[in-house]
Amino acid sequence: MSEPPGAAVSLAEAPPADVPSKPLAAQRVLPLRRPGRWIATAVVLVLVAQFVHGLTTNPFYQWDRFGYWFLRPTILDGLLITLEVTAYSAVLGLLGGILLALARLSKSPVLRAVSWTYVWALRSIPLIVVLLFLYNFSALYKTLSVGVPFGPAFFSFDESKLATDMVIAVIGLSLNEAAYAAEVVRGGILSVDQGQHEAAAALGLPRGYQFTKIVFPQALRSITPNYVNQLIGLIKSTSLVFYVSLLDLFGTAQSMGATYPGDIVPLLLVATVWYLILTSLVSVVQFYVERYYARGATRSLPPTPLQKLRAGLTDLRARIRREAAV
């Protein structure tokens, strides 16, 4: 009796009768081989190893002197000044940015024009120019007065007595930061869905309540990562206050380097490591602030680094058990 076409199976293709076939659950799915990824990983690891080896073995870095200077009181005093200038400038810059953003979004053409002009000017002028201009401000205006324009002054004061080095640094950084923060805040407010504004207005809520309780909390999800980038840039920008005679972290390192010329490189490394620590701490705070404001916007909150580590260890144990079972 003849077989129908296509029904014949060759002996080479048929499995031996005495070899039981594995069930589907026990069969392994082999991952796709990616040789390019492994080659790139190997190249990067070799480069990183060479960099770390050169960093640790090169005597030019003088790591013993780095350890000597890292926690010296003079360095810590400069670090404290850096933190103070950053904190004051960040708060004042954000408050000024909020006011400028609201002025930019207002219906008053005068407020919009003034806000736009301020942002345009301060983003165009280098920060070092702003600081130097403020540092020499007393040469242009000996006294400052408050009163009627083109009329009598109610009171006046000597600008040179109030404008200390700390005040000049904070004002200069705050003015510059406010211009950038204004655009960050304005972008965050515009990112809020228009329906939220309409719903708040339909409830008859006051404009101030709408902004503080409904619009601004939602805008913070967009504002936070962008403003933290600005804050990291602000921490690094404090190194410029050295040019207005304020010895912050970088200024102290420069001053000590001039006194001890043989320790210039270790002192620069000390300043670098402290800046890395400060920016890393800000990044950690950014993660948890973003995670806090992500509530209600995502189905599940992003895992913390500790949760990621636990999940990775759990996956590794499960993979080892599967490999052992096979």
Side-chain angles (χ1 to χ4, degrees):
M1 185 174 180
S2 62
E3 296 287 343
V9 178
S10 65
L11 294 177
E13 296 177 357
D18 56 344
V19 179
S21 61
K22 291 183 179 181
L24 277 189
Q27 294 182 8
R28 293 181 58 192
V29 178
L30 296 177
L32 181 63
R33 291 183 174 87
R34 301 180 182 274
R37 179 188 300 175
W38 289 104
I39 294 173
T41 302
V43 171
V44 170
L45 288 177
V46 169
L47 294 176
V48 170
Q50 288 181 337
F51 174 76
V52 173
H53 178 267
L55 196 64
T56 54
T57 60
N58 193 337
F60 184 73
Y61 292 114
Q62 305 178 58
W63 291 109
D64 56 333
R65 300 300 297 170
F66 170 87
Y68 170 80
W69 286 108
F70 189 71
L71 294 176
R72 297 294 295 175
T74 181
I75 296 294
L76 297 181
D77 290 342
L79 177 64
L80 180 61
I81 292 177
T82 294
L83 293 175
E84 290 179 355
V85 173
T86 301
Y88 293 144
S89 302
V91 173
L92 295 176
L94 180 59
L95 293 177
I98 293 173
L99 295 177
L100 289 170
L102 293 178
R104 185 80 180 274
L105 295 172
S106 71
K107 296 181 179 180
S108 170
V110 175
L111 293 179
R112 290 201 305 269
V114 171
S115 175
W116 181 89
T117 303
Y118 179 93
V119 172
W120 165 74
L122 267 295
R123 290 201 304 178
S124 302
I125 302 173
L127 177 57
I128 185 63
V129 175
V130 175
L131 290 172
L132 291 176
F133 181 82
L134 292 175
Y135 188 68
N136 296 281
F137 195 74
S138 59
L140 299 174
Y141 300 95
K142 300 290 184 182
T143 59
L144 297 177
S145 60
V146 177
V148 179
F150 309 106
F154 298 143
F155 61 89
S156 60
F157 51 89
D158 188 357
E159 189 270 339
S160 60
K161 295 181 179 179
L162 295 178
T164 62
D165 296 337
M166 175 67 77
V167 172
I168 291 173
V170 171
I171 291 177
L173 290 172
S174 300
L175 292 175
N176 184 78
E177 190 69 14
Y180 291 93
E183 291 300 284
V184 171
V185 174
R186 186 173 70 91
I189 294 174
L190 293 177
S191 68
V192 178
D193 187 79
Q194 189 63 29
Q196 299 292 319
H197 298 267
E198 296 172 354
L203 293 174
L205 300 176
R207 294 292 298 273
Y209 189 88
Q210 294 179 28
F211 178 76
T212 57
K213 298 298 183 180
I214 297 176
V215 177
F216 194 64
Q218 297 182 65
L220 281 174
R221 286 200 299 268
S222 175
I223 293 173
T224 299
N226 296 318
Y227 187 70
V228 170
N229 287 334
Q230 287 297 122
L231 185 57
I232 291 175
L234 177 62
I235 293 175
K236 296 184 292 184
S237 297
T238 56
S239 60
L240 295 176
V241 302
F242 169 67
Y243 294 99
V244 293
S245 302
L246 187 63
L247 291 181
D248 66 322
L249 175 61
F250 178 75
T252 302
Q254 286 284 86
S255 177
M256 291 296 101
T259 306
Y260 302 92
D263 290 348
I264 292 178
V265 173
L267 285 165
L268 290 177
L269 286 174
V270 167
T272 300
V273 171
W274 273 119
Y275 282 122
L276 286 173
I277 293 173
L278 294 179
T279 54
S280 300
L281 291 176
V282 172
S283 299
V284 172
V285 173
Q286 173 190 1
F287 172 80
Y288 284 99
V289 172
E290 288 183 0
R291 193 171 186 269
Y292 176 80
Y293 284 107
R295 298 179 304 172
T298 57
R299 295 184 181 275
S300 60
L301 294 177
T304 63
L306 183 58
Q307 292 172 343
K308 288 181 180 179
L309 178 61
R310 289 176 179 173
L313 293 175
T314 302
D315 293 342
L316 181 61
R317 292 194 193 100
R319 186 180 304 174
I320 293 174
R321 292 194 188 99
R322 288 196 301 266
E323 293 288 342
V326 174

